[in-house]
């Protein structure tokens, strides 16, 4: 695995969705009634439920308008941050639910190698490049659940992303950046996650 020195470790956006739309997305996600235990793993060894590393409920939203909206935000971040990664599509949007006691310990979204044998053929041969998370909940409706990143240096080892604390805020970052969600202590934290993909780095 190679190492890149990036000027911007992440980019954040304020109010990518208005509050009323965040509430509607939450209602829509819950109404589907198809959420299940989130899994951990990778595209080679398979995935399992491991509540020590990750405890949350997830569902998948494949609505075209939502996919396009989020993908455009990732494209904008890719330009603004001067990452200029080659990306051309994205995985379905993940609707994530964190109730009290739920969390996601330190992890990367990127996998080693490219996808193969996927049920969505457009992913085959592609690798995760850029991740995005959108906060759907009002910050006053839950406690805990802070988003943290690990910069991997002595000057600033970790940082809590306080910029993403209002309903509709988003953070975009390279998929190999270590990050975590602290345990939620009160209320419920809802979010959307998207991973953009492209041909593997050369």
């Amino acid at each position: 695995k190679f190492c890149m020195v990036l000027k911007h470790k992440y980019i954040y956006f304020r109010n990518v969705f208005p509050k009323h739309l965040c509430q509607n997305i939450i209602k829509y996600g819950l109404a589907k009634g198809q959420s299940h235990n989130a899994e951990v793993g990778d595209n080679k060894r398979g995935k399992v439920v491991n509540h020590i590393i990750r405890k949350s409920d997830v569902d998948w939203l494949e609505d075209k308008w939502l996919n396009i909206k989020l993908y455009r935000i990732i494209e904008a971040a890719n330009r603004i941050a001067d990452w200029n990664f080659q990306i051309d599509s994205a995985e379905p949007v993940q609707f994530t639910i964190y109730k009290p006691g739920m969390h996601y310990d330190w992890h990367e979204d990127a996998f080693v190698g490219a996808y193969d044998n996927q049920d969505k053929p457009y992913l085959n041969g592609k690798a995760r490049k850029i991740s995005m998370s959108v906060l759907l909940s009002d910050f006053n409706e839950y406690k805990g659940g802070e988003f943290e990143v690990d910069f991997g240096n002595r000057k600033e080892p970790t940082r809590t992303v306080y910029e993403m604390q209002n309903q509709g805020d988003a953070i975009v970052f390279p998929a190999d950046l270590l990050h975590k969600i602290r345990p939620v202590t009160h209320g419920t934290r809802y979010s959307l996650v998207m991973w953009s993909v492209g041909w593997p780095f050369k």
Side-chain angles (χ1 to χ4, degrees):
K1 187 174 180 178
F2 64 94
C3 178
M4 295 181 294
V5 178
L6 302 175
K7 179 180 179 181
H8 299 285
K9 300 296 187 182
Y10 64 83
I11 294 289
Y12 67 90
F13 295 90
R14 298 287 193 193
N15 303 314
V16 297
F17 290 139
K19 291 187 176 182
H20 74 274
L21 184 53
C22 290
Q23 293 295 340
N24 288 340
I25 294 172
I26 291 172
K27 291 177 182 177
Y28 173 65
L30 294 176
K32 290 184 66 180
Q34 298 177 355
S35 64
H36 57 275
N37 287 327
E39 298 174 319
V40 296
D42 59 36
N43 58 329
K44 300 296 182 183
R45 294 172 294 180
K47 297 183 178 182
V48 298
V49 173
N50 184 331
H51 286 166
I52 295 176
I53 299 173
R54 181 184 192 185
K55 188 174 184 181
S56 62
D57 295 328
V58 299
D59 196 358
W60 304 98
L61 308 181
E62 300 193 49
D63 304 73
K64 186 175 181 179
W65 74 268
L66 184 59
N67 187 289
I68 292 173
K69 169 72 173 177
L70 297 182
Y71 188 75
R72 285 176 176 168
I73 296 169
I74 289 178
E75 287 183 312
N78 196 24
R79 292 192 303 270
I80 294 169
D82 287 327
W83 299 327
N84 298 314
F85 295 163
Q86 183 278 321
I87 56 173
D88 52 36
S89 54
E91 299 177 50
V93 179
Q94 180 180 273
F95 174 63
T96 312
I97 305 168
Y98 289 95
K99 298 176 181 178
M102 292 185 172
H103 70 286
Y104 197 166
D105 208 350
W106 292 112
H107 67 285
E108 299 177 359
D109 293 336
F111 299 136
V112 175
Y115 279 118
D116 57 16
N117 298 317
Q118 293 294 302
D119 57 355
K120 295 181 174 16
Y122 74 90
L123 292 175
N124 288 325
K126 304 293 179 66
R128 283 183 177 177
K129 298 282 191 72
I130 302 175
S131 301
M132 177 173 65
S133 180
V134 181
L135 182 62
L136 296 176
S137 299
D138 186 298
F139 194 62
N140 296 316
E141 294 178 350
Y142 71 95
K143 293 182 180 179
E146 295 90 352
F147 195 108
E148 283 193 12
V149 296
D150 184 345
F151 289 159
N153 60 56
R154 294 182 180 179
K155 184 177 180 181
E156 186 179 17
T158 63
R159 177 188 293 182
T160 300
V161 184
Y162 289 115
E163 297 96 334
M164 190 178 73
Q165 63 179 6
N166 298 308
Q167 195 169 28
D169 290 351
I171 179 175
V172 186
F173 53 95
D176 64 350
L177 179 67
L178 276 171
H179 58 287
K180 69 183 289 186
I181 302 293
R182 290 180 185 166
V184 169
T185 59
H186 177 77
T188 304
R189 181 189 190 275
Y190 298 99
S191 63
L192 296 178
V193 178
M194 172 181 268
W195 304 281
S196 65
V197 301
W199 299 112
F201 291 108
K202 296 181 179 180

